[in-house]
Amino acid sequence: MNEVRSLITNSANTTFTYEENSDKKMCRFGFYTKMLLWQKITFWACIALFIVIFLAFVIIWVIFPLVFMNQISIQRFFIFFNFNDPKNPDFNHPENYGYKGVANFYLTTKNSKDDELLSIGAWLLIPDSEINNTVIRAHNAQTVSELLQNTKYPIVLYLHGVACNRIKPMETYKVLRKKFMLVAVDHRGYGDSGPNVTPSEEGIVNDTVQIYKWIRSQTKNNIYVWGHSLGGALAVHSVKRLKLENIVPMGLILESTFTTIREEIPATQIGKMFSWLLWFEATVLNPLETNGFHFKSTTNILDVDCPIMHLHAQDDFVIPWTLGKKLIDVAINEREIPPQGNVTYHIFGKLGYGHTGLTSDSNIPKFIDEFIGLCRDQNKQKG
């Protein structure tokens, strides 16, 4: 009998415990059953939003840096942005874009490593004062050669930045054509230069050096190099390379350019999205350098042996003017002046010029004239 009473007591205790747990569960989720429909919808919407935000964080700030670290093609795209603007360009008909006195031509360059030949597209833009007296008979290098030989103007080799081709910098061309005979080239991988060829710093610099030497072979006039943005970094590197062959341009003009790619990337709008990450250096900056994306202008500019002029706007949100100022400080303080050439720096206030509009400033023609005069004086001092 005692055993039976013990069995019943245990069974009762077990049943009570189950019912007690059930009551607790009901109390725990009871708030949901009492919620109105709109409250339930809001509840689940908040949960869904949290999941979306979490997944977005993982994809953007974890997965993408890891993919970037291991994909050189993605790194190359974000460095060069080599797509056409304007799209579907017709380089043989400059008049379609409002240009007059322009000859389209192509030069052949050779890779330094494998001797592969590459076709580089370029425009020759005749100075404004010579347009009405010049007839362009054909779009080819021979025509350009004759025009270079006959002009009385100095020559400027223009290197554009990213996300464009040689058609794009119209406002800059308008200013330069008042002072120079202008040769504007598309870097390999841009426009119609080397179709299906991937751009690289070394490759573009190698092309630019050969193009400069070709221009030099066609004329005895003074030659300047002008580089905008990434084109400025390429210009500095190219002038350094020319020095190895005892070739020194008359002057170097840099527009809205930077110090090194390692310092520029965190300053871009995209870079700022990732620069706070603890793994930013390991997944973004270090792989870029490992794969040859250096653009170390602060080092290259030390071997520039001609006068330098740098133009930069304070409201440039692509390349901060502080990077341009830092580059010029290196050129001033770590080069031998005057033997290596004087340095001129013009900073424009917040006038709405941004990254590409400062050549529309009314002072630019005067600054160019002053720089040309400085370069002439410097050349006289060299004897």
Side-chain angles (χ1 to χ4, degrees), residues 25 27 39 94 104 112 160 170 209 214 228 265 374:
K25 290 181 179 179
C27 290
Q39 292 174 322
N104 184 53
S112 58
H160 64 66
M170 178 178 287
V209 167
W214 180 84
H228 172 255
I265 291 297
L374 185 151

Side-chain angles (χ1 to χ4, degrees), residues 62-322:
V62 178
I63 295 178
F64 179 75
L66 291 174
V67 173
F68 184 91
M69 178 178 66
N70 293 287
Q71 293 293 324
I72 189 173
S73 59
I74 296 178
Q75 296 171 23
R76 183 179 293 110
F77 174 78
F78 277 98
I79 293 297
F80 292 104
F81 279 104
N82 55 321
F83 54 83
N84 277 316
D85 184 15
K87 296 181 179 179
N88 303 315
D90 184 0
F91 297 113
N92 275 318
H93 294 89
E95 64 277 4
N96 292 344
Y97 305 96
Y99 290 101
K100 294 181 179 179
V102 177
N104 184 53
F105 68 106
Y106 298 88
L107 295 173
T108 300
T109 62
K110 181 186 295 185
N111 286 338
S112 58
K113 294 182 179 180
D114 56 14
D115 290 337
E116 181 182 356
L117 300 181
L118 192 70
S119 175
I120 300 295
W123 270 4
L124 179 78
L125 295 94
I126 297 168
D128 285 348
S129 64
E130 295 183 352
I131 290 178
N132 294 331
N133 300 323
T134 303
V135 177
I136 298 176
R137 293 188 298 274
H139 292 281
N140 55 46
Q142 181 59 39
T143 297
V144 170
S145 177
E146 294 175 2
L147 294 171
L148 287 171
Q149 292 170 15
N150 294 327
T151 187
K152 297 180 180 179
Y153 280 78
I155 315 300
V156 63
L157 174 59
Y158 182 83
L159 306 179
H160 64 66
V162 303
C164 69
N165 51 49
R166 60 188 182 273
I167 296 173
K168 183 71 172 182
M170 178 178 287
E171 295 304 316
T172 300
Y173 293 167
K174 287 180 180 179
V175 177
L176 297 185
R177 296 180 78 173
K178 297 181 184 299
K179 309 295 180 181
F180 303 99
M181 173 80 82
L182 172 61
V183 178
V185 302
D186 271 331
H187 316 301
R188 60 168 61 194
Y190 290 80
D192 57 353
S193 291
N196 303 318
V197 173
T198 55
S200 68
E201 180 180 4
E202 287 298 323
I204 294 174
V205 168
N206 181 59
D207 296 333
T208 303
V209 167
Q210 294 178 62
I211 291 168
Y212 183 97
K213 291 166 65 177
W214 180 84
I215 297 172
R216 178 78 283 166
S217 71
Q218 306 302 311
T219 179
K220 296 181 180 180
N221 297 10
N222 295 326
I223 304 176
Y224 296 79
V225 179
W226 185 304
H228 172 255
S229 190
L230 187 72
L234 293 166
V236 174
H237 195 169
S238 298
V239 172
K240 173 185 177 178
R241 284 277 302 277
L242 285 166
K243 180 182 177 180
L244 298 177
E245 301 185 44
N246 296 317
I247 301 173
V248 179
M250 191 69 171
L252 172 64
I253 303 97
L254 303 174
E255 178 190 352
S256 307
T257 196
F258 55 90
T259 49
T260 67
I261 203 67
R262 194 177 187 89
E263 293 183 335
E264 163 58 7
I265 291 297
T268 64
Q269 296 301 313
I270 296 178
K272 289 177 182 178
M273 292 175 55
F274 297 91
S275 59
W276 58 273
L277 296 172
L278 295 177
W279 50 89
F280 178 71
E281 185 172 355
T283 59
V284 177
L285 299 182
N286 291 345
L288 287 174
E289 289 206 346
T290 299
N291 290 322
F293 303 108
H294 302 297
F295 300 97
K296 295 182 177 180
S297 294
T298 46
T299 300
N300 295 331
I301 207 166
L302 300 179
D303 288 312
V304 172
D305 288 354
C306 63
I308 302 168
M309 179 169 70
H310 193 175
L311 312 168
H312 219 133
Q314 284 187 326
D315 54 5
D316 185 338
F317 297 109
V318 177
I319 298 176
W321 70 272
T322 52

Side-chain angles (χ1 to χ4, degrees), residues 307-340:
I308 302 168
M309 179 169 70
H310 193 175
L311 312 168
H312 219 133
Q314 284 187 326
D315 54 5
D316 185 338
F317 297 109
V318 177
I319 298 176
W321 70 272
T322 52
L323 290 185
K325 181 63 166 58
K326 183 176 180 180
L327 177 61
I328 289 306
D329 287 342
V330 171
I332 293 173
N333 298 322
E334 300 185 32
R335 293 165 63 252
E336 294 185 29
I337 296 178
Q340 282 190 277

